[in-house]
Amino acid sequence: MKNLKPGRYRLVTTSSFGKGGAVKKTVNISYKPQSKMQFRASKIIRKGNGDVYQRLYFKKNNSTGKTCYAQIFNKNNKLVYSTKYKARNANQDFAFSWNGWASGNSGKKCAKGVYTVKYWMDGVNPKTAKFRLSI
């Protein structure tokens, strides 16, 4: 079923049970490929104006949803940054840049170290990954 497009299909099977002859059975099925989103990498990006960002990259496959979400948590599991992105198509990869500053009311630069990114897209359960903030 790897090359099937999402949709409804009719599956027809024929079985023979000896002297009784062939039995034909028709089953209607719906096929929806498994959606996947996977954290790929984190990389330091330096802009032409001297600004430095940490860019996080994600790979998408067979997505039915187009909106991607990401949240970054510090070592105390406190949310420090969140973003969302609407892709143009279902398999467009997702990346976002973060300048290391906490969003919200704190307005503080986050310390270097290990952070957790929680990411998901419409219709898919969230996953988490660790990355090192190096800026």
Side-chain angles (χ1 to χ4, degrees), residues 26-82:
T26 302
V27 178
N28 292 321
I29 61 170
S30 292
Y31 174 67
K32 182 179 172 185
Q34 184 179 9
S35 296
K36 296 179 183 177
M37 185 173 178
Q38 184 176 17
F39 176 70
R40 288 291 191 199
S42 171
K43 186 167 132 174
I44 303 296
I45 303 294
R46 186 174 299 276
K47 303 271 181 156
N49 63 0
D51 290 346
V52 179
Y53 293 90
Q54 185 106 13
R55 182 163 292 161
L56 285 78
Y57 296 90
F58 302 86
K59 178 84 174 152
K60 289 180 16 176
N61 289 317
N62 298 325
S63 169
T64 55
K66 291 186 178 180
T67 305
C68 302
Y69 303 87
Q71 296 176 328
I72 298 176
F73 296 87
N74 64 14
K75 66 181 179 181
N76 298 324
N77 207 25
K78 180 180 176 190
L79 178 66
V80 294
Y81 183 78
S82 65

